[in-house]
Structures are given as structure tokens and as C-alpha cells.
Amino acid sequence: MRQLMCALVLAASVAACGGGDDDADADSASTTTTTALEPAPQDTAPPDTGGAAPAQDRAADQALAESIVLRAGDAPAGWTSEPPDDEDDSEYDRRYAECVGVPFEHVDPDFPEARGHDLTAPDDSEVSSGAVVAPSVEAAQPLLAAYRDPDTPACFTDVLEDVMLDALAEGGTTDATVQRPTFEPLPFADLGDETVAFRVTMTISGGSGQTLEVFADAILVRSGRVAVDALFLSLFEPLPAATSESLVRVMVDRIPANA
């Protein structure tokens, strides 16, 4: 979804100049049930919507999307919050859609959508979120299917590598290198009607000899015709699974039962 790639654009900018304790020990054990990229039964084939989207009350659905995403009051104790920036990420969306071979609107749909506040932990880990409200369940299903494609691992890492290199260049960093990102399914709680979760890990090496290991955990959940996504960015160690799950549940719990 558009918010996911937009969050990655912002995350790359932060990671390109971030810092932290490279001696920290990771603590990311997960008590979960859903594996990323495991097709849900209803998504084994993209639905045929017949071309015409159902009528939609866009104003009401825009308000719904804005009510679902993470906001300042959702930040855990000690965290800070900032309103989201307005980043144009459509070029990265297009690259991903073309690589995977799905319609562009499955990645960047023309549906009511909102981005949440950017939440930052004391150790500079960041959380970005988004929500999209489709006119129907059938129209919402391709939004997650686009990230369950067999080509998702290669295509997503290709685009993320481009995001990071562009962010470094725009920040004036010319002596850093980005190792090829790695992609792996991420065990996660089974939320809503379907859940997709994966982790991308990348290493940035600077000319001064400093090395940053960046973890980007992407979680997407569909409940009815609403799809939400969250990106958890951290340096040197992944954000604890309990933290990421609790924040995603906040959004899922805000989705009306009849949505």
C-alpha cells in the first residue's frame, strides 16, 4: 500500500544518518501464529471485481481511515510523536508494482487513506502506520495479495535498496555503501481476516568504518474492506515483538465490525 512505501522513504532518510549501540542484544522472540506470504484461502486468486468499483461514501471512509491510524496518544511511555510528513513515493510504488506484475492500483489505490503519526522510541526506533478503506471486501483483498506474490522478496528488496541509495544521495552522503537487503517472513499474530508480515534487514557501511544494521518490519492486516499497515524501523536489533503486536492491535481494534 502507498503508506507502506511512503514510510520506507521516511525510514530510509532516518537510517541513513542514524546511530545507536551496536553492542545491544536482540530480544525479538514472538508468540505468533501467522507466517508472511502464506496465502489466505480467499486470496489464492485475485478477485474479479468486474471493472467497476462499488459506490463509496468517500468522506465517511476518509474519516474512518483517519480514526484508525496511530496517533500521539498511542505512543508507549517515554516515546515521542510527530505528525506524518507528506512524501511523494509514487515512483517507488510504480517500480514495485511493475516488478511484481500487479496493477499499480493494487499498490497505490485511489481509495480514502490516511497516515498516522510517526512514533519514536527512546532508542530512536520508529513506527509509521497507514490505513486504506476500500469500497468493498473484494476491492480490498488485492492490497495484501500484492505483497504475498512469489516475486515479493526480490522486488521489495530491489525497491528498498533504491530507496536507501536515493536517501543517502539526497542527504549528501557519498562515501557510504548499502549491502543487498535481505527479506524474510516474519511470524506474527493472526489478526483481522488476513495478515502479511515480513522483515527486511539492510547494512549501511560508511567511509569512516561505521556500520549500521537496519531492521524494517512490515505488517499488513486486512479486516473486511479496511487494510492497515505498520512499519517498524530500528537499528542494530529488531523492535520487540510485543511492542509491534500491541501497536498493530490498536489499529485493528479500531476497525468497525461491519467494515
Side-chain angles (χ1 to χ4, degrees), residues 70-128:
L70 297 175
R71 41 190 182 260
D74 299 325
W79 290 42
T80 60
S81 172
E82 292 184 2
D85 292 333
D86 185 15
E87 291 283 340
D88 180 8
D89 58 295
S90 57
E91 175 59 26
Y92 298 115
D93 287 327
R94 193 170 300 280
R95 292 183 201 177
Y96 177 76
E98 290 176 354
C99 181
V100 175
V102 299
F104 178 59
E105 58 268 22
H106 289 185
V107 179
D108 190 353
D110 183 23
F111 300 148
E113 58 185 2
R115 288 190 56 228
H117 277 60
D118 297 320
L119 310 182
T120 304
D123 66 356
D124 292 330
S125 297
E126 292 201 348
V127 180
S128 302

Tab-separated table of all heavy atoms in Angstrom, residues 70-128:
chain	number	residue	atom	x	y	z
A	70	LEU	N	-2.398	5.183	13.856
A	70	LEU	CA	-1.779	5.514	15.140
A	70	LEU	C	-1.665	7.025	15.317
A	70	LEU	O	-1.399	7.759	14.368
A	70	LEU	CB	-0.394	4.881	15.235
A	70	LEU	CG	-0.363	3.345	15.215
A	70	LEU	CD1	1.079	2.844	15.191
A	70	LEU	CD2	-1.112	2.773	16.425
A	71	ARG	N	-1.889	7.479	16.547
A	71	ARG	CA	-1.785	8.896	16.859
A	71	ARG	C	-0.964	9.078	18.133
A	71	ARG	O	-0.497	8.117	18.730
A	71	ARG	CB	-3.174	9.518	16.991
A	71	ARG	CG	-4.208	8.668	17.731
A	71	ARG	CD	-5.591	9.283	17.586
A	71	ARG	NE	-6.635	8.581	18.289
A	71	ARG	CZ	-7.490	7.741	17.727
A	71	ARG	NH1	-7.385	7.469	16.435
A	71	ARG	NH2	-8.443	7.159	18.432
A	72	ALA	N	-0.811	10.341	18.530
A	72	ALA	CA	0.103	10.660	19.623
A	72	ALA	C	-0.200	9.868	20.891
A	72	ALA	O	0.707	9.372	21.563
A	72	ALA	CB	0.058	12.159	19.910
A	73	GLY	N	-1.467	9.724	21.236
A	73	GLY	CA	-1.833	9.038	22.466
A	73	GLY	C	-1.551	7.552	22.464
A	73	GLY	O	-1.622	6.905	23.513
A	74	ASP	N	-1.221	6.999	21.303
A	74	ASP	CA	-0.929	5.565	21.220
A	74	ASP	C	0.527	5.257	21.540
A	74	ASP	O	0.880	4.086	21.703
A	74	ASP	CB	-1.241	5.047	19.811
A	74	ASP	CG	-2.704	5.219	19.447
A	74	ASP	OD1	-3.555	5.086	20.339
A	74	ASP	OD2	-2.990	5.496	18.257
A	75	ALA	N	1.367	6.272	21.614
A	75	ALA	CA	2.795	6.045	21.851
A	75	ALA	C	3.018	5.482	23.250
A	75	ALA	O	2.455	5.981	24.226
A	75	ALA	CB	3.562	7.353	21.685
A	76	PRO	N	3.834	4.449	23.368
A	76	PRO	CA	4.163	3.923	24.707
A	76	PRO	C	4.852	4.989	25.556
A	76	PRO	O	5.353	5.990	25.037
A	76	PRO	CB	5.117	2.757	24.393
A	76	PRO	CG	4.791	2.363	22.977
A	76	PRO	CD	4.436	3.646	22.286
A	77	ALA	N	4.875	4.766	26.843
A	77	ALA	CA	5.500	5.724	27.765
A	77	ALA	C	6.944	5.974	27.367
A	77	ALA	O	7.698	5.036	27.082
A	77	ALA	CB	5.429	5.192	29.196
A	78	GLY	N	7.325	7.245	27.340
A	78	GLY	CA	8.684	7.611	27.004
A	78	GLY	C	8.922	7.852	25.530
A	78	GLY	O	9.990	8.343	25.144
A	79	TRP	N	7.943	7.508	24.679
A	79	TRP	CA	8.075	7.730	23.253
A	79	TRP	C	7.625	9.141	22.899
A	79	TRP	O	6.924	9.792	23.668
A	79	TRP	CB	7.233	6.728	22.469
A	79	TRP	CG	7.723	5.314	22.501
A	79	TRP	CD1	8.207	4.623	23.572
A	79	TRP	CD2	7.738	4.404	21.407
A	79	TRP	NE1	8.528	3.340	23.225
A	79	TRP	CE2	8.249	3.176	21.906
A	79	TRP	CE3	7.375	4.489	20.076
A	79	TRP	CZ2	8.402	2.055	21.086
A	79	TRP	CZ3	7.518	3.383	19.254
A	79	TRP	CH2	8.038	2.175	19.771
A	80	THR	N	8.016	9.603	21.715
A	80	THR	CA	7.543	10.882	21.199
A	80	THR	C	6.733	10.645	19.930
A	80	THR	O	6.746	9.549	19.359
A	80	THR	CB	8.716	11.830	20.898
A	80	THR	OG1	9.576	11.214	19.916
A	80	THR	CG2	9.507	12.124	22.160
A	81	SER	N	6.020	11.690	19.491
A	81	SER	CA	5.141	11.560	18.338
A	81	SER	C	5.202	12.823	17.493
A	81	SER	O	5.269	13.934	18.023
A	81	SER	CB	3.706	11.307	18.804
A	81	SER	OG	2.805	11.354	17.716
A	82	GLU	N	5.164	12.636	16.170
A	82	GLU	CA	5.125	13.756	15.241
A	82	GLU	C	4.123	13.451	14.134
A	82	GLU	O	3.986	12.305	13.711
A	82	GLU	CB	6.503	13.992	14.606
A	82	GLU	CG	7.570	14.496	15.562
A	82	GLU	CD	8.869	14.784	14.842
A	82	GLU	OE1	8.912	14.616	13.603
A	82	GLU	OE2	9.840	15.180	15.516
A	83	PRO	N	3.422	14.487	13.642
A	83	PRO	CA	2.520	14.272	12.505
A	83	PRO	C	3.311	13.761	11.306
A	83	PRO	O	4.502	14.061	11.170
A	83	PRO	CB	1.944	15.669	12.245
A	83	PRO	CG	2.145	16.412	13.518
A	83	PRO	CD	3.413	15.878	14.122
A	84	PRO	N	2.679	12.997	10.440
A	84	PRO	CA	3.404	12.446	9.284
A	84	PRO	C	3.792	13.530	8.290
A	84	PRO	O	3.108	14.538	8.147
A	84	PRO	CB	2.392	11.470	8.675
A	84	PRO	CG	1.059	12.021	9.070
A	84	PRO	CD	1.260	12.600	10.444
A	85	ASP	N	4.919	13.320	7.626
A	85	ASP	CA	5.326	14.204	6.541
A	85	ASP	C	4.616	13.786	5.261
A	85	ASP	O	4.179	12.651	5.109
A	85	ASP	CB	6.841	14.125	6.322
A	85	ASP	CG	7.623	14.713	7.478
A	85	ASP	OD1	7.074	15.607	8.154
A	85	ASP	OD2	8.756	14.275	7.715
A	86	ASP	N	4.525	14.721	4.328
A	86	ASP	CA	3.884	14.444	3.050
A	86	ASP	C	4.970	14.123	2.033
A	86	ASP	O	5.613	15.008	1.486
A	86	ASP	CB	3.066	15.655	2.596
A	86	ASP	CG	2.275	15.370	1.324
A	86	ASP	OD1	2.151	14.184	0.975
A	86	ASP	OD2	1.800	16.332	0.692
A	87	GLU	N	5.205	12.832	1.815
A	87	GLU	CA	6.244	12.401	0.891
A	87	GLU	C	5.607	11.814	-0.366
A	87	GLU	O	4.628	11.087	-0.305
A	87	GLU	CB	7.134	11.340	1.548
A	87	GLU	CG	8.017	11.878	2.670
A	87	GLU	CD	9.209	12.642	2.145
A	87	GLU	OE1	9.571	12.453	0.968
A	87	GLU	OE2	9.784	13.424	2.921
A	88	ASP	N	6.197	12.125	-1.507
A	88	ASP	CA	5.728	11.564	-2.775
A	88	ASP	C	6.528	10.298	-3.057
A	88	ASP	O	7.709	10.352	-3.390
A	88	ASP	CB	5.924	12.576	-3.904
A	88	ASP	CG	5.440	12.036	-5.248
A	88	ASP	OD1	4.816	10.957	-5.262
A	88	ASP	OD2	5.696	12.696	-6.273
A	89	ASP	N	5.875	9.155	-2.896
A	89	ASP	CA	6.553	7.875	-3.075
A	89	ASP	C	5.999	7.101	-4.259
A	89	ASP	O	6.275	5.918	-4.397
A	89	ASP	CB	6.383	7.038	-1.806
A	89	ASP	CG	4.910	6.828	-1.502
A	89	ASP	OD1	4.220	7.822	-1.222
A	89	ASP	OD2	4.447	5.683	-1.585
A	90	SER	N	5.222	7.755	-5.122
A	90	SER	CA	4.536	7.043	-6.195
A	90	SER	C	5.509	6.358	-7.136
A	90	SER	O	5.203	5.298	-7.702
A	90	SER	CB	3.623	7.994	-6.974
A	90	SER	OG	4.357	9.082	-7.497
A	91	GLU	N	6.710	6.925	-7.330
A	91	GLU	CA	7.680	6.304	-8.220
A	91	GLU	C	8.124	4.953	-7.671
A	91	GLU	O	8.250	3.974	-8.420
A	91	GLU	CB	8.884	7.221	-8.407
A	91	GLU	CG	10.013	6.601	-9.231
A	91	GLU	CD	9.582	6.188	-10.641
A	91	GLU	OE1	8.615	6.795	-11.172
A	91	GLU	OE2	10.200	5.256	-11.195
A	92	TYR	N	8.339	4.856	-6.358
A	92	TYR	CA	8.736	3.573	-5.772
A	92	TYR	C	7.582	2.580	-5.836
A	92	TYR	O	7.787	1.385	-6.064
A	92	TYR	CB	9.182	3.771	-4.324
A	92	TYR	CG	10.390	4.668	-4.182
A	92	TYR	CD1	10.296	5.891	-3.538
A	92	TYR	CD2	11.620	4.285	-4.705
A	92	TYR	CE1	11.403	6.719	-3.403
A	92	TYR	CE2	12.738	5.104	-4.582
A	92	TYR	CZ	12.621	6.327	-3.933
A	92	TYR	OH	13.712	7.141	-3.813
A	93	ASP	N	6.353	3.055	-5.615
A	93	ASP	CA	5.185	2.184	-5.749
A	93	ASP	C	5.117	1.596	-7.159
A	93	ASP	O	4.846	0.409	-7.343
A	93	ASP	CB	3.897	2.967	-5.479
A	93	ASP	CG	3.706	3.289	-4.009
A	93	ASP	OD1	4.120	2.476	-3.170
A	93	ASP	OD2	3.133	4.350	-3.713
A	94	ARG	N	5.355	2.464	-8.144
A	94	ARG	CA	5.258	2.022	-9.529
A	94	ARG	C	6.329	0.974	-9.846
A	94	ARG	O	6.071	-0.015	-10.529
A	94	ARG	CB	5.377	3.222	-10.469
A	94	ARG	CG	4.983	2.916	-11.910
A	94	ARG	CD	4.893	4.181	-12.733
A	94	ARG	NE	3.911	5.113	-12.195
A	94	ARG	CZ	2.605	5.009	-12.390
A	94	ARG	NH1	2.122	3.991	-13.097
A	94	ARG	NH2	1.773	5.899	-11.884
A	95	ARG	N	7.536	1.215	-9.337
A	95	ARG	CA	8.609	0.248	-9.569
A	95	ARG	C	8.249	-1.113	-8.973
A	95	ARG	O	8.484	-2.159	-9.590
A	95	ARG	CB	9.914	0.746	-8.946
A	95	ARG	CG	10.519	1.969	-9.604
A	95	ARG	CD	11.850	2.325	-8.928
A	95	ARG	NE	12.227	3.706	-9.167
A	95	ARG	CZ	13.302	4.279	-8.651
A	95	ARG	NH1	14.094	3.577	-7.853
A	95	ARG	NH2	13.587	5.537	-8.912
A	96	TYR	N	7.697	-1.093	-7.766
A	96	TYR	CA	7.342	-2.363	-7.126
A	96	TYR	C	6.224	-3.066	-7.894
A	96	TYR	O	6.305	-4.278	-8.162
A	96	TYR	CB	6.903	-2.132	-5.676
A	96	TYR	CG	6.467	-3.407	-4.999
A	96	TYR	CD1	7.400	-4.340	-4.573
A	96	TYR	CD2	5.120	-3.697	-4.836
A	96	TYR	CE1	7.010	-5.534	-3.996
A	96	TYR	CE2	4.714	-4.883	-4.251
A	96	TYR	CZ	5.666	-5.804	-3.828
A	96	TYR	OH	5.259	-6.989	-3.263
A	97	ALA	N	5.182	-2.323	-8.258
A	97	ALA	CA	4.061	-2.925	-8.982
A	97	ALA	C	4.524	-3.530	-10.301
A	97	ALA	O	4.124	-4.640	-10.673
A	97	ALA	CB	2.972	-1.884	-9.218
A	98	GLU	N	5.387	-2.823	-11.022
A	98	GLU	CA	5.877	-3.329	-12.299
A	98	GLU	C	6.736	-4.573	-12.101
A	98	GLU	O	6.671	-5.523	-12.881
A	98	GLU	CB	6.675	-2.244	-13.013
A	98	GLU	CG	5.812	-1.082	-13.532
A	98	GLU	CD	6.644	0.018	-14.155
A	98	GLU	OE1	7.902	-0.062	-14.086
A	98	GLU	OE2	6.052	0.958	-14.721
A	99	CYS	N	7.544	-4.576	-11.050
A	99	CYS	CA	8.412	-5.727	-10.782
A	99	CYS	C	7.593	-6.972	-10.451
A	99	CYS	O	7.856	-8.066	-10.973
A	99	CYS	CB	9.362	-5.387	-9.643
A	99	CYS	SG	10.529	-6.714	-9.213
A	100	VAL	N	6.592	-6.800	-9.598
A	100	VAL	CA	5.771	-7.942	-9.193
A	100	VAL	C	4.798	-8.349	-10.305
A	100	VAL	O	4.418	-9.511	-10.403
A	100	VAL	CB	5.002	-7.607	-7.891
A	100	VAL	CG1	4.047	-8.722	-7.517
A	100	VAL	CG2	5.991	-7.389	-6.751
A	101	GLY	N	4.407	-7.373	-11.119
A	101	GLY	CA	3.474	-7.664	-12.197
A	101	GLY	C	2.022	-7.557	-11.782
A	101	GLY	O	1.175	-8.332	-12.245
A	102	VAL	N	1.717	-6.588	-10.901
A	102	VAL	CA	0.336	-6.357	-10.481
A	102	VAL	C	-0.072	-4.958	-10.928
A	102	VAL	O	0.784	-4.092	-11.153
A	102	VAL	CB	0.168	-6.484	-8.946
A	102	VAL	CG1	0.547	-7.883	-8.491
A	102	VAL	CG2	0.987	-5.435	-8.201
A	103	PRO	N	-1.370	-4.696	-11.070
A	103	PRO	CA	-1.810	-3.348	-11.419
A	103	PRO	C	-1.338	-2.326	-10.394
A	103	PRO	O	-1.299	-2.614	-9.189
A	103	PRO	CB	-3.338	-3.468	-11.426
A	103	PRO	CG	-3.601	-4.915	-11.687
A	103	PRO	CD	-2.496	-5.648	-10.983
A	104	PHE	N	-0.984	-1.147	-10.857
A	104	PHE	CA	-0.481	-0.102	-9.978
A	104	PHE	C	-1.469	0.212	-8.857
A	104	PHE	O	-1.078	0.470	-7.718
A	104	PHE	CB	-0.199	1.164	-10.801
A	104	PHE	CG	0.275	2.330	-9.994
A	104	PHE	CD1	1.434	2.256	-9.231
A	104	PHE	CD2	-0.438	3.520	-9.991
A	104	PHE	CE1	1.881	3.341	-8.492
A	104	PHE	CE2	0.005	4.603	-9.256
A	104	PHE	CZ	1.156	4.523	-8.502
A	105	GLU	N	-2.768	0.140	-9.168
A	105	GLU	CA	-3.771	0.485	-8.157
A	105	GLU	C	-3.853	-0.537	-7.027
A	105	GLU	O	-4.475	-0.267	-5.997
A	105	GLU	CB	-5.145	0.662	-8.802
A	105	GLU	CG	-5.663	-0.531	-9.563
A	105	GLU	CD	-5.302	-0.494	-11.041
A	105	GLU	OE1	-4.317	0.204	-11.400
A	105	GLU	OE2	-6.001	-1.159	-11.843
A	106	HIS	N	-3.232	-1.700	-7.194
A	106	HIS	CA	-3.183	-2.661	-6.088
A	106	HIS	C	-2.140	-2.258	-5.042
A	106	HIS	O	-2.173	-2.748	-3.916
A	106	HIS	CB	-2.864	-4.068	-6.603
A	106	HIS	CG	-3.986	-4.686	-7.372
A	106	HIS	ND1	-3.948	-5.980	-7.831
A	106	HIS	CD2	-5.188	-4.182	-7.770
A	106	HIS	CE1	-5.066	-6.254	-8.487
A	106	HIS	NE2	-5.831	-5.173	-8.455
A	107	VAL	N	-1.220	-1.394	-5.436
A	107	VAL	CA	-0.194	-0.896	-4.531
A	107	VAL	C	-0.499	0.535	-4.094
A	107	VAL	O	-0.263	0.914	-2.952
A	107	VAL	CB	1.198	-0.967	-5.198
A	107	VAL	CG1	2.286	-0.422	-4.282
A	107	VAL	CG2	1.526	-2.399	-5.609
A	108	ASP	N	-1.041	1.326	-5.008
A	108	ASP	CA	-1.361	2.727	-4.724
A	108	ASP	C	-2.803	2.987	-5.153
A	108	ASP	O	-3.059	3.604	-6.174
A	108	ASP	CB	-0.402	3.648	-5.482
A	108	ASP	CG	-0.523	5.095	-5.049
A	108	ASP	OD1	-1.433	5.402	-4.257
A	108	ASP	OD2	0.285	5.923	-5.504
A	109	PRO	N	-3.777	2.496	-4.375
A	109	PRO	CA	-5.185	2.585	-4.783
A	109	PRO	C	-5.753	3.988	-4.616
A	109	PRO	O	-5.294	4.764	-3.767
A	109	PRO	CB	-5.879	1.605	-3.829
A	109	PRO	CG	-5.040	1.676	-2.592
A	109	PRO	CD	-3.625	1.833	-3.075
A	110	ASP	N	-6.740	4.282	-5.421
A	110	ASP	CA	-7.432	5.557	-5.305
A	110	ASP	C	-8.608	5.396	-4.345
A	110	ASP	O	-9.774	5.581	-4.708
A	110	ASP	CB	-7.911	6.035	-6.675
A	110	ASP	CG	-8.571	7.415	-6.606
A	110	ASP	OD1	-8.285	8.157	-5.647
A	110	ASP	OD2	-9.387	7.727	-7.510
A	111	PHE	N	-8.293	5.026	-3.107
A	111	PHE	CA	-9.291	4.862	-2.060
A	111	PHE	C	-8.975	5.851	-0.933
A	111	PHE	O	-7.838	6.304	-0.804
A	111	PHE	CB	-9.260	3.433	-1.489
A	111	PHE	CG	-9.537	2.335	-2.473
A	111	PHE	CD1	-8.929	1.084	-2.323
A	111	PHE	CD2	-10.386	2.540	-3.546
A	111	PHE	CE1	-9.186	0.066	-3.220
A	111	PHE	CE2	-10.647	1.520	-4.453
A	111	PHE	CZ	-10.033	0.285	-4.297
A	112	PRO	N	-9.949	6.171	-0.106
A	112	PRO	CA	-9.666	7.007	1.062
A	112	PRO	C	-8.581	6.367	1.915
A	112	PRO	O	-8.620	5.158	2.193
A	112	PRO	CB	-11.004	7.056	1.795
A	112	PRO	CG	-12.019	6.860	0.716
A	112	PRO	CD	-11.397	5.876	-0.232
A	113	GLU	N	-7.611	7.161	2.340
A	113	GLU	CA	-6.476	6.631	3.082
A	113	GLU	C	-5.937	7.694	4.028
A	113	GLU	O	-6.190	8.887	3.858
A	113	GLU	CB	-5.377	6.168	2.128
A	113	GLU	CG	-4.873	7.272	1.214
A	113	GLU	CD	-3.877	6.775	0.183
A	113	GLU	OE1	-3.599	5.558	0.159
A	113	GLU	OE2	-3.372	7.599	-0.575
A	114	ALA	N	-5.190	7.248	5.018
A	114	ALA	CA	-4.606	8.166	5.992
A	114	ALA	C	-3.292	7.593	6.491
A	114	ALA	O	-3.097	6.374	6.501
A	114	ALA	CB	-5.554	8.382	7.171
A	115	ARG	N	-2.400	8.476	6.894
A	115	ARG	CA	-1.158	8.066	7.531
A	115	ARG	C	-1.176	8.531	8.968
A	115	ARG	O	-1.642	9.625	9.282
A	115	ARG	CB	0.051	8.663	6.795
A	115	ARG	CG	0.309	8.009	5.433
A	115	ARG	CD	1.639	8.445	4.859
A	115	ARG	NE	2.721	8.151	5.805
A	115	ARG	CZ	3.660	9.030	6.145
A	115	ARG	NH1	3.637	10.249	5.663
A	115	ARG	NH2	4.606	8.677	6.993
A	116	GLY	N	-0.648	7.689	9.839
A	116	GLY	CA	-0.639	8.013	11.256
A	116	GLY	C	0.561	8.837	11.663
A	116	GLY	O	1.453	9.123	10.856
A	117	HIS	N	0.585	9.224	12.928
A	117	HIS	CA	1.734	9.922	13.480
A	117	HIS	C	2.955	9.000	13.455
A	117	HIS	O	2.825	7.778	13.559
A	117	HIS	CB	1.455	10.348	14.925
A	117	HIS	CG	0.696	11.628	15.032
A	117	HIS	ND1	-0.564	11.794	14.482
A	117	HIS	CD2	1.006	12.808	15.622
A	117	HIS	CE1	-0.994	13.024	14.736
A	117	HIS	NE2	-0.058	13.659	15.418
A	118	ASP	N	4.113	9.580	13.315
A	118	ASP	CA	5.360	8.824	13.412
A	118	ASP	C	5.769	8.765	14.886
A	118	ASP	O	6.012	9.802	15.508
A	118	ASP	CB	6.453	9.499	12.583
A	118	ASP	CG	6.118	9.526	11.098
A	118	ASP	OD1	5.583	8.511	10.606
A	118	ASP	OD2	6.391	10.541	10.432
A	119	LEU	N	5.813	7.565	15.434
A	119	LEU	CA	6.141	7.366	16.841
A	119	LEU	C	7.609	6.975	16.966
A	119	LEU	O	8.095	6.117	16.224
A	119	LEU	CB	5.254	6.280	17.441
A	119	LEU	CG	3.742	6.406	17.198
A	119	LEU	CD1	2.998	5.275	17.905
A	119	LEU	CD2	3.230	7.766	17.641
A	120	THR	N	8.311	7.598	17.915
A	120	THR	CA	9.745	7.359	18.073
A	120	THR	C	10.062	6.931	19.497
A	120	THR	O	9.672	7.600	20.456
A	120	THR	CB	10.556	8.619	17.732
A	120	THR	OG1	10.233	9.047	16.399
A	120	THR	CG2	12.054	8.344	17.815
A	121	ALA	N	10.778	5.812	19.630
A	121	ALA	CA	11.163	5.277	20.928
A	121	ALA	C	12.424	5.991	21.433
A	121	ALA	O	13.138	6.635	20.660
A	121	ALA	CB	11.418	3.784	20.822
A	122	PRO	N	12.730	5.874	22.724
A	122	PRO	CA	13.953	6.492	23.264
A	122	PRO	C	15.226	6.035	22.559
A	122	PRO	O	16.208	6.772	22.504
A	122	PRO	CB	13.938	6.067	24.730
A	122	PRO	CG	12.492	5.867	25.052
A	122	PRO	CD	11.899	5.294	23.802
A	123	ASP	N	15.229	4.808	22.005
A	123	ASP	CA	16.425	4.322	21.307
A	123	ASP	C	16.404	4.670	19.824
A	123	ASP	O	17.196	4.140	19.040
A	123	ASP	CB	16.571	2.808	21.484
A	123	ASP	CG	15.448	2.020	20.807
A	123	ASP	OD1	14.506	2.648	20.261
A	123	ASP	OD2	15.511	0.773	20.818
A	124	ASP	N	15.479	5.568	19.431
A	124	ASP	CA	15.339	6.054	18.055
A	124	ASP	C	14.653	5.065	17.116
A	124	ASP	O	14.600	5.311	15.901
A	124	ASP	CB	16.691	6.477	17.457
A	124	ASP	CG	17.251	7.718	18.133
A	124	ASP	OD1	16.450	8.545	18.606
A	124	ASP	OD2	18.497	7.856	18.196
A	125	SER	N	14.127	3.953	17.627
A	125	SER	CA	13.271	3.111	16.790
A	125	SER	C	12.047	3.924	16.385
A	125	SER	O	11.566	4.759	17.156
A	125	SER	CB	12.833	1.864	17.557
A	125	SER	OG	13.939	1.063	17.897
A	126	GLU	N	11.528	3.683	15.183
A	126	GLU	CA	10.395	4.461	14.687
A	126	GLU	C	9.287	3.553	14.190
A	126	GLU	O	9.526	2.462	13.688
A	126	GLU	CB	10.840	5.398	13.564
A	126	GLU	CG	11.753	6.515	14.030
A	126	GLU	CD	11.772	7.678	13.049
A	126	GLU	OE1	11.268	7.524	11.916
A	126	GLU	OE2	12.296	8.737	13.427
A	127	VAL	N	8.067	4.047	14.324
A	127	VAL	CA	6.884	3.327	13.867
A	127	VAL	C	6.056	4.264	12.998
A	127	VAL	O	5.733	5.382	13.407
A	127	VAL	CB	6.022	2.827	15.046
A	127	VAL	CG1	4.810	2.075	14.533
A	127	VAL	CG2	6.855	1.956	15.981
A	128	SER	N	5.731	3.811	11.797
A	128	SER	CA	4.847	4.548	10.903
A	128	SER	C	3.651	3.665	10.588
A	128	SER	O	3.761	2.431	10.586
A	128	SER	CB	5.573	4.924	9.605
A	128	SER	OG	6.728	5.690	9.879
